[in-house]
Amino acid sequence: MATPGYPLPAPVIAVRIRALGTLDPTGAILVAAGESGVLGFATLHATPVLRRPTAVGRVTGIAVLPEAQGAGAGRLLVAAAEQFFAAMALERIEITSGPTHLTAHAFYRHLGYDDQAVRFVKPLGPRPSAG
C-alpha cells in the first residue's frame, strides 16, 4: 500500500493518527479521496503562542500521492485547512515543510504563502553513536 509522502507501514500510521487525536484535541486530519481511494492527507493543529492574540493554525504534515499530484488534491487540502482554522477564528496559518521539498515550497508560494522564520531542531534523549 502506498503511503503519500510518509514511507511507513499502515499500522504505524494508524497508531500515530490515534496519538495525534489523543495529544491534540484541537487538531484534525483531513483526507483527500477519489475514486481509487485516499489521494492525500493533511494534519492540522492549533498552537497557542504568547506573541499573538490567537493560536496559530499549523499544517504539520501534508502529502499527496505522486500519481495524484497536479490534479487539485493538495490545493483542496490547503483550502480546507484554511477554512478549518478560519472557523476557529485564528488569524494566522503556517505550513511546515522540510528544506528539501522544493516543489512543495513553490506550491505553497503559488497559494499565497510567504517564506518566514527558520526552525531549529534538537533531538531529545541519547544521540546515536557516530561509529
Side-chain angles (χ1 to χ4, degrees):
M1 173 182 153
T3 306
Y6 296 86
L8 297 169
V12 171
I13 290 181
V15 167
R16 292 184 182 175
I17 286 172
R18 282 191 293 281
L20 284 172
T22 302
L23 293 172
D24 183 6
T26 68
I29 299 172
L30 305 177
V31 176
E35 292 179 19
S36 62
V38 173
L39 302 176
F41 70 92
T43 54
L44 313 181
H45 305 276
T47 304
V49 292
L50 185 60
R51 66 188 180 281
R52 300 204 177 275
T54 68
V56 174
R58 291 193 167 138
V59 179
T60 58
I62 184 168
V64 175
L65 288 172
E67 60 269 24
Q69 291 177 4
R75 184 181 308 270
L76 289 173
L77 286 167
V78 172
E82 292 171 355
Q83 291 172 359
F84 178 83
F85 292 130
M88 295 174 72
L90 303 187
E91 297 177 355
R92 180 183 177 98
I93 183 172
E94 300 174 353
I95 299 177
T96 301
S97 184
T100 61
H101 301 144
L102 301 180
T103 303
H105 300 174
F107 170 69
Y108 302 134
R109 289 182 193 112
H110 178 73
L111 295 180
Y113 287 79
D114 296 320
D115 298 44
Q116 288 190 1
V118 174
R119 190 170 60 179
F120 296 91
V121 178
K122 180 179 180 181
L124 299 175
R127 293 182 181 237
S129 62

